Structure formats: structure tokens, C-alpha cells
Amino acid sequence: MILNTELEYKGNLFPTKIVFYKKDVDTLYFKSENGVALQVIVQRDSVLRFRFATTAIFEKDFSYGITKYASKGYNRLDIDEDDDNYIITTSKLICHISKLDMRTAIFDAKDNSLICEDELGFHWEEFYEEGGDIVKMSKTSQEGESYYGLGDKPVDVNLKGKRFENWVTDSYAYGRGSDPIYKTIPFYLGVHHKKAYGIFFDNTFRSFFDFSKEKRNVTSFWAEGGEMNYYFIYGPEMSEVVSNYTDLTGRPQHIPPLWALGFHQCKWSYYPESKVKEVTSKFRELKIPCDAIYLDIDYMEGFRCFTWNKEYFPDPKRMVKELADDGFKTVAIIDPGIKIDNDYSVYKEALEKDYFCKRADGAFMKGKVWPGECYFPDYTNPEVREWWSELFRELIEDIGVKGVWNDMNEPAVMDVPGKTFPKDVRHDYDGNPCSHRKAHNVYGMQMARATYHGLKKFSYPKRPFVITRAAYSGTQRYTSTWTGDNVATWDHLSLANNQAQRMCMSGFSFVGSDIGGFAEQPNGELFTRWIQLGVFHPFFRVHSSGDHGDQEPWTFGTTLTDIVRKFIEIRYQLLPYLYTAFWRYAGEGIPILKSLVLFDQEDPNTHYRNDEFIFGEKILACPILEPNAKGRRMYFPKGRWYNFWDNSIIVGGEEIWVDADIDSMPIFVKEGAIIPKYPIQQYVGEKEIEQLELDVYYKKGKESSEVYEDAQDGYDYKKGRYSLRNFTQVGKNKSFIIQQYKSGKFITNYETFKINIHGLPFKIKSIQVDNEEIEIKMSNGDVTLEITKGFRELHIISE
Ligand code: GLC
């Protein structure tokens, strides 16, 4: 215990004793003798917000991270006090605030167990050189505590023992441990004694997190300006913490068009038009499914955004249409740097309207990017965002481009120290003018937001698709993302796996990596293993810098091409399964990928696992991360798991060797699962879905699965035109029952299900569908049935 008499701790200042307290509905105000103000806002029973102001005056309450739709309200709020503490009680939490020094301790209201407690608590240091304070918070690390989250950090899943910085940074060919990289997601989860909580430090200045690195028993976070403003989010389940975090910072405003969950092919760059066509034709010729083709910067005229190089692409509208006729959606890159060029309309307009960022003393923020010297729109100005969104009219509405890729939006500047804007650059920050110190981490997010609004307008009545490289908490509301310029190495394959899991735990599930590696070239084996992992990433795109050779599915010889095709086909079969997981994520914030710890935090064996993860709700996948492997050891979490390839069963709770030669990968299905499958298509919409296949994995006992479908694009689903099927299977020794309950107004085209039942432990005497007997078909010991999609109950009876 450190007493508040220690006013000076390594140059830090601390609050002294509380001399004032007031309650205003859901907000409690405290003031210390030395003028520190603390606001505690009871957002929900399980979510408390803490704000500290060192001058007793709070800043205007504005956040790009928090959505206006964040839930508010609680079932219980009692305030008590004893000699030492003010005590806030909700139905989920008890929070003590020390009268002596404003330190807090939070307990689970159910069993009074300690969840999170301040060590030094809030303290600060004046930041004379830059202005304001360096605001700091330290918490005691609990026994056995592990830490997760924090966005795209390229390290192991568990963050314990490490320190990180958050400052959105262009990081070409980053490596294991590089920090910071492209994203700032100042949100982490702590897990100890089987319970999980989260902290979202909603401060956009450069920030730092230390997870028991400097001191074994301390976890701390601090920022180089702004307020100590954080949300404490209780679970106790990790998935509840993530769900509550995305309730605060938002979830995707709509589910992606189904095609966006298909396979995407990209390279820097495919040009001219004949090259693009050569690639897309090859996909169709070799029957490798693909939905999207990307145009990187070379499609532009001198890298000027919203222009076309007419020599390479003489008639973009025709080309985009022809690609669309062949099932390809065109995605084009748009960067923030606008070339300084008096003959360029975008530049001229922004200049006239005064939309470019300026230095402190009024000069324009000038920096070099692909087009040479550029100016940069201030996307933190709502008027600029509106203007920017309008620029997409031609590209989307007229030319027919279906998706936009925002890159270099950290913002990246070439050949300068820090690789970005200097700190003095001014920003509007939605009417809260500030320097780049505060706006840097949200610049890319605001660009992606403006792009998203443009696409939403001009894609209507279809859904937009946007991808961004830079992000701050909340960017998941608008776009998908990828992990930036990785490298074609085995270690990067493993990093891609960790980063995708971490992003999902950090509330941002629409994520993938540059498959095969952006820099350098993979060999065929690495490429194939990466495709295998990519099948299980929400965003599934091959991308490479192109200067190290080709990286198309057919680059590495026919044997590997066949394997790659087989895996991409699996992705297409699993589309309704992934779409259902996406729908759950967009609705409830449940991560699409679940690290094993998130799947079962009570099992300490999961706390340090990196490789295995759950895809959606029911599939356990584990990539092969080494060359020449014939398989690997992997940990199986609790439960019984069917091997996807041969239906053999593994009982969880231990590490087991799994065979997986290059044509295979460890994939397992949770017993009791019902996995929906579409037929293989070369692109989404190629075929009318004439039948939905349901793979049923017998479980003794009860288990439910969901299948969500809609028109695969458009917004009708928001008006109830969706189809949600809830299947419950009940397995007994002598019978097996599947019940279906359907809701929603969407009527699927197909009339029947093909049901494959795996692992039935008995010989069948009869099968009844809604009390009527039907014929029995068996193949390899599995039962296959075709029954009407409207069935209510399927009853299988043993001999
Ligand atoms: C950046 C991007 C990369 C892109 C390249 C050219 O390096 O991260 O994906 O291909 O710029 O636009």
C-alpha cells in the first residue's frame, strides 16, 4: 500500500483526500483536496466509466471511439459510504473509491471476489514541453492473471510480461514484436480466477500499456495527453467483455454482402486491363472460386486518387462490367495523399474549400507519398468527410466498383522522421480543434468512415465494402481490415494467426492477413499452408508486393493448385456458416474467431495457447506453421470433437498429435454441431442454391446451432427479411431428434435440406419426419436424408 502522503513518486502527482461528493442520476462526482476531479459514470450494471481531471475541469465529452448507440441503464445503483470508501453497488459490481486517495477496487457483486484494484491508481506528470499532462493509471496484477486484446500487436496471444505503445504506424515488413504497428485499440482483457474483465482506455493520444513487465505485480497504462478516461467492463465471461466493449465502440453497421466473405485476389499491381483479365480468366479456367479482384495504385493516373490511367485502363466502366459479368467484384485502392497539382480537380477543390491539414503556423501539411508531394484532407472535419464521401460517386455509381481499399492512412509520409505528420499539424476533431498528437490515432479511422459513407450512398441498395489499414477502436463499425505489410515467412504465418485472433478479441472481427506474405515470396508449401489458415479468417485475400514474383493460386504447380482449390472450395461451402457467425458478431459483438482462452477461460491450459482457435461457434481449426510437417500436436479444449476429414472423435482436455500432410489441415467439429453448407460456386451468386446441406454431428445430449440467411446483399434483412433457423439436436442411446424452429420473413429459394448425420451410435429402425415415416439411405456408415426445409421434427429410432 502506498499512502497518499507520497505526493511525489518519481515526479508524479497524486490525488489527495476526497473533500467533495455529489451524485447526479448515473454520474458521481468527487473532488480531492488538491483539486483533482473524478467522475464515475454508471453506464450499465457491468460497465463503469472513470474520468479524472487534474484541473477539476473536464474536457468536452467527445469520443470517436464510442458509438451513439451504446447502451445505457442499470438495474441497480446504490451509493453507500463507510469510514474509508464510497461504495457503488450495481447488480453486477461493487466499486470502492478510497476517500484517502481516489483509488478504486472493483468486486463481483455476486460473491464479493476482487476483480480489479488500483495499485498507485490515477497519477500524472505535467507535460511542460507539449502541454497538458501525461495521465497514468496503475492496477495490481492479480495472482495468475493473463492479458489479451490490444488490436494488431504481432506477438503471442497472451500479452503478459510485455509493454506496448499505441501510435498508428506504417510498418512495412514488420516482424514479431514490432511495436507500434498499424492500429490503436487501447482495450485489453484481464483474466484471473476464472473471471474476465476489460479496460477500454478511450484516449487517442500516444498511449502505452504495461502488462506486468516493469513490475511483476503491476499493470499500467498511460497517455501523453488528454484525460485519464477509461471504461471498466465486467464479464465474467471473456465473450461478454468483448460483447460489452463492442456495445460501447460499435459493431458493423450491417453485415457484409456475402461475396465479401468469398475469396479475394490482389497484387501490387495488376495492370493493364489485359493483365487483370488474364488473372480473372485463369480463375474461371482452373475453376478456382474467386469473388473479388483488386486494383492497386497503378490504376490511377500518376497515383492521383479518383483518376484512371487511360493507357492501362482505357474504359474502366466497360472493364468493371465485364469483370462483373464474370462474377468478379472490382475493389480499388484510395489513399489519403492528394497530389499537389493545379490541373487536378480533387486537389483544386480541396484547396479552394480549405480542406487540407495545416501546420501550427498556417502552412499546409506537405508530405511525400506515392504521387510525390501531397496535401492531406482533414478527415476529422465533418464537412471534409462529407465532401470526401461525394468523391466516390463516379467510381461506385457510374463505373461500378464494388469496394474501396483505404491504405497509407496512418497517415504514412515517406522519407521523414516518424513516417507521419509532425505533432504540430492542426485538426478540426469535429469542432474540438487540436494538434496531431491527439488526432493521429484516429486519422485513418475518420478517412475510412468518410469512405464508408460514400460507398454506402453510392452502392445503395447494395451494401458497401470497405477495407482500411489504419484503425482506432470503433473502426469496426465501418470497415474490414488487414494486418498490413507482412512478410512471406513461416513466422509471419503464425503472427497472422495471432493477430487475427487478437483483432477479433479486440472487437474487430472482419480481419485477415496478406495471404502468402506481402514482402518477399513464399514457396508453394508456405503459400498453401497460408491459404489453409485464410479459409478460417473472416477476410480472405491473397496480396503481395508483386516485385518478388507471382502469388496466384496456380503459381506453385498443379499439385499445390489442386490443394489450394480444394481449400478455397471448403470456404465457399462454409459460407452460410461464416455468414451466420458474422450475423452474430454484427448483432451481439461475439468474436468470429475465438482464441481457446475465450472459448474456455476456466481451463488454465488455454491461457497461453496461440495456434488453435474456434472459427464461428463450432469449428476448431489449427494451422500447420512449420515446413515439411506431416501433422502437429495441438490442444483440444473441453468437449468431444469430430475430425472434419474422417469423423473420428477426439476427447478434449489434452494435447494430441494430428496428421495433416500438405493436402490437409487440422479441422474439427464440435459434437452436436449442425454445419450448413452451400454447393461449391465459382463466385457468390453463380448458382441458385437448390438445396442446403446440413452436416449433423451426433452428440449424446442436447446442442443447438443456428443458420442465418438472407438475400446476401441489400438491406431488406433489417426489415425482418431474413431466415433464422434454430436447430436443436437431442441424442439418446436409442433415439436421435432434431427440431427446427424458424423465424424471419425471408423465404429461401431451396425447398429441401440434405442432412448428413455423422457418428450415430446405433442402427436405425425407422425415421420419421413430422410423424411420417421416410426411407433410409446410408453411405459409409453415415445417414443421408433429403427432407423438406419446413420440417419441425426429425426423429430417428434405433433398432
Ligand atoms: C502499402 C500497402 C500495400 C499496397 C501498397 C501499394 O504498402 O500496405 O498493401 O499494395 O502500399 O499501394
Side-chain angles (χ1 to χ4, degrees), residues 57-313:
I57 300 164
F58 289 99
E59 290 173 4
K60 188 172 130 196
D61 194 14
F62 173 79
S63 165
Y64 284 119
I66 303 290
T67 152
K68 59 180 179 206
Y69 306 109
S71 327
K72 276 203 149 183
Y74 39 80
N75 295 313
R76 176 175 176 200
L77 176 57
D78 295 329
I79 318 287
D80 300 305
E81 59 181 289
D82 61 19
D83 289 349
D84 303 326
N85 296 298
Y86 289 96
I87 301 166
I88 305 169
T89 306
T90 72
S91 70
K92 294 263 170 68
L93 295 173
I94 300 168
C95 173
H96 288 188
I97 296 168
S98 159
K99 291 182 171 175
L100 199 62
D101 52 15
M102 291 185 163
R103 281 191 294 165
T104 65
I106 300 176
F107 305 84
D108 183 327
K110 245 195 214 150
D111 58 10
N112 277 310
S113 59
L114 177 66
I115 304 301
C116 185
E117 167 191 42
D118 284 357
E119 185 238 7
L120 296 176
F122 174 59
H123 51 296
W124 75 98
E125 210 181 314
E126 280 183 23
F127 199 178
Y128 179 72
E129 296 80 5
E130 305 280 359
D133 300 311
I134 300 172
V135 291
K136 311 178 188 186
M137 172 57 65
S138 67
K139 308 262 178 203
T140 305
S141 301
Q142 303 299 320
E143 193 204 326
E145 185 159 4
S146 288
Y147 300 95
Y148 305 92
L150 227 62
D152 62 349
K153 306 299 182 194
V155 295
D156 287 352
V157 172
N158 193 335
L159 303 172
K160 189 168 188 162
K162 298 193 173 77
R163 174 183 282 199
F164 300 96
E165 179 179 338
N166 288 315
W167 184 254
V168 169
T169 303
D170 175 13
S171 311
Y172 174 78
Y174 64 90
R176 184 174 288 273
S178 293
D179 188 53
I181 60 168
Y182 303 95
K183 294 166 182 79
T184 288
I185 304 195
F187 163 67
Y188 73 87
L189 300 104
V191 184
H192 64 86
H193 300 96
K194 303 185 177 176
K195 292 179 177 166
Y197 68 91
I199 299 242
F200 172 41
F201 180 26
D202 188 13
N203 179 314
T204 61
F205 284 81
R206 187 192 297 268
S207 62
F208 298 84
F209 286 74
D210 185 302
F211 299 103
S212 313
K213 178 168 199 258
E214 186 178 317
K215 291 197 216 153
R216 202 168 53 84
N217 296 323
V218 179
T219 281
S220 56
F221 49 94
W222 63 100
E224 291 183 348
E227 282 177 356
M228 174 49 59
N229 168 33
Y230 74 94
Y231 293 78
F232 172 87
I233 305 167
Y234 190 42
E237 297 298 323
M238 284 177 86
S239 56
E240 291 173 300
V241 177
V242 181
S243 171
N244 285 335
Y245 164 76
T246 54
D247 181 73
L248 286 172
T249 59
R251 297 162 185 163
Q253 298 192 351
H254 54 77
I255 40 186
L258 187 61
W259 67 262
L261 300 181
F263 179 68
H264 300 216
Q265 180 70 34
C266 185
K267 179 184 189 159
W268 177 19
S269 295
Y270 288 130
Y271 72 93
E273 176 180 337
S274 57
K275 180 70 198 177
V276 176
K277 290 277 187 54
E278 187 191 310
V279 173
T280 54
S281 309
K282 193 91 179 170
F283 272 99
R284 298 300 178 242
E285 182 194 318
L286 295 176
K287 294 217 168 312
I288 299 171
C290 184
D291 260 281
I293 185 82
Y294 281 61
L295 300 177
D296 204 329
I297 48 175
D298 296 284
Y299 80 89
M300 302 175 191
E301 177 62 49
F303 306 125
R304 289 170 190 80
C305 292
F306 306 101
T307 68
W308 289 81
N309 179 317
K310 288 290 164 99
E311 194 190 316
Y312 299 150
F313 298 97

Side-chain angles (χ1 to χ4, degrees), residues 653-671:
E654 57 178 332
E655 219 182 55
I656 293 173
W657 171 269
V658 177
D659 287 333
D661 217 331
I662 186 74
D663 61 347
S664 184
M665 170 191 177
I667 308 172
F668 295 83
V669 183
K670 194 171 171 225
E671 70 165 352

Side-chain angles (χ1 to χ4, degrees), residues 15 88 93 125-126 145 186 197 258 271 315 320 440 532 546-547 570 577 596 631-632 640 680 695 750:
I88 305 169
L93 295 173
E125 210 181 314
E126 280 183 23
E145 185 159 4
Y197 68 91
L258 187 61
Y271 72 93
D315 187 354
V320 168
H440 175 80
Q532 292 172 352
D547 47 4
I570 291 175
Y577 175 80
L596 284 201
R632 60 165 294 155
R640 287 155 58 91
I680 293 163
D695 271 319
Y750 56 83

Side-chain angles (χ1 to χ4, degrees), residues 172 267-269 514 517-520 543-549 551:
Y172 174 78
K267 179 184 189 159
W268 177 19
S269 295
D514 280 352
F518 177 74
E520 299 175 21
H543 181 41
S544 69
S545 64
D547 47 4
H548 300 99
Q551 228 159 285

Side-chain angles (χ1 to χ4, degrees), residues 5-24:
T5 46
E6 285 185 44
L7 263 184
E8 292 273 334
Y9 173 79
K10 289 188 195 159
N12 288 314
L13 299 162
F14 291 81
T16 50
K17 76 170 189 245
I18 295 177
V19 290
F20 172 82
Y21 157 70
K22 185 180 97 178
K23 174 173 180 276
D24 184 3

